[in-house]
Amino acid sequence: MSLVQLDIRGISYSQTQTGAYALVLSEVDGERTLPIVIGAFEAQSIAIALESEITPPRPLTHDLFKTFAESYNIRVKEVIIHKLVDGVFFSSMICIQNDEEKVFDARTSDAIALAIRFNTPIYTYQNILDKAGIILKQEDFSDAPEEENRIEEEEDEITDLLNSSKPEDLKQAYQNISTQELEKKLNTAIEKEDYETAAKIRDELNRR
């Protein structure tokens, strides 16, 4: 079976279904996306790894694993999402130590959180994409407001998979707060290790 490389497209969260997140992966040379439901902790860990400007005051579990592995000259070569059973994705991490290759079973969310930290590729098999992949609506956009509409439409499609309503627009939530005040709130959230709030504030700052 042929392998298909995936990129991380983003994380969609639900405000009505506590703890429900969808990690959205997209095939590198194609239009299909692969949404995977993950837990809150794993979603935050992935979001922090993707956001270079957020540095936790203490290492998260996946950061600790990376430090531990590197101290023993272990690196993650690649992650493969190799099986889908009753809506649950199964993954393997291919690791290398001193030119010896070993394969470990892992939860997909954990495997991807580590793949980001080790800067290693993520793959799945063609038959899994055929079975679970979806194509988000794509249109030709030429300006920023229309691009925002496209992103909102894509978020709607993903959150439908979680049986939840559309996430609250962060612009509306923070529209009366200055950029300087948002930056203070971001620092406070990081100090409190409230990474979910920090990620939302960072999203709003990036949009501005």
Side-chain angles (χ1 to χ4, degrees):
M1 292 182 290
S2 60
L3 287 172
V4 179
Q5 187 171 356
L6 302 171
D7 280 337
I8 297 176
R9 185 164 187 157
I11 299 175
S12 177
Y13 58 90
S14 169
Q15 293 181 330
T16 61
Q17 187 176 344
T18 303
Y21 291 77
L23 170 65
V24 185
L25 306 174
S26 60
E27 58 180 330
V28 171
D29 296 317
E31 299 180 347
R32 290 173 296 181
T33 60
L34 193 66
I36 300 174
V37 177
I38 61 176
F41 171 78
E42 292 78 11
Q44 292 177 14
S45 180
I46 291 170
I48 290 169
L50 292 171
E51 180 51 75
S52 59
E53 296 183 32
I54 297 180
T55 303
R58 297 182 298 172
L60 301 180
T61 302
H62 298 111
D63 297 320
L64 176 60
F65 180 94
K66 181 176 184 287
T67 301
F68 178 84
E70 288 180 334
S71 68
Y72 287 94
N73 195 31
I74 300 171
R75 66 182 178 88
V76 179
K77 176 184 176 183
E78 59 189 16
V79 166
I80 300 177
I81 304 171
H82 63 83
K83 186 167 64 174
L84 173 60
V85 179
D86 296 329
V88 178
F89 293 89
F90 294 78
S91 294
S92 297
M93 292 195 312
I94 291 80
C95 300
I96 295 179
Q97 181 186 36
N98 300 327
D99 296 326
E100 182 180 356
E101 188 172 287
K102 294 184 179 181
V103 179
F104 299 93
D105 288 332
R107 294 190 306 170
T108 298
S109 54
D110 289 329
I112 291 175
L114 290 170
I116 300 169
R117 286 165 169 81
F118 281 92
N119 194 29
T120 57
I122 303 166
Y123 298 97
T124 192
Y125 289 108
Q126 185 70 46
N127 65 323
I128 292 179
L129 265 179
D130 292 340
K131 183 177 181 181
I134 63 173
I135 299 178
L136 298 177
K137 296 176 181 178
Q138 297 287 338
E139 295 179 23
D140 184 17
F141 296 95
S142 58
D143 53 43
E146 291 178 336
E147 174 66 12
E148 290 179 0
N149 291 336
R150 180 184 67 79
I151 294 173
E152 290 177 359
E153 289 175 0
E154 292 177 352
E155 288 179 346
D156 286 345
E157 292 186 61
I158 298 303
T159 50
D160 284 343
L161 298 172
L162 300 173
N163 296 318
S164 63
S165 60
K166 176 183 175 182
E168 180 183 1
D169 186 355
L170 290 179
K171 281 188 175 182
Q172 181 178 357
Y174 296 123
Q175 62 182 352
N176 295 322
I177 301 178
S178 68
T179 298
Q180 184 178 8
E181 184 63 26
L182 278 179
E183 290 174 347
K184 292 181 180 179
K185 289 182 179 294
L186 173 62
N187 292 330
T188 299
I190 294 174
E191 290 174 0
K192 293 181 177 179
E193 299 186 16
D194 183 0
Y195 301 122
E196 180 176 355
T197 299
K200 294 176 183 178
I201 295 174
R202 173 52 59 189
D203 286 343
E204 171 61 16
L205 288 171
N206 287 339
R207 272 193 286 267
R208 293 189 182 186

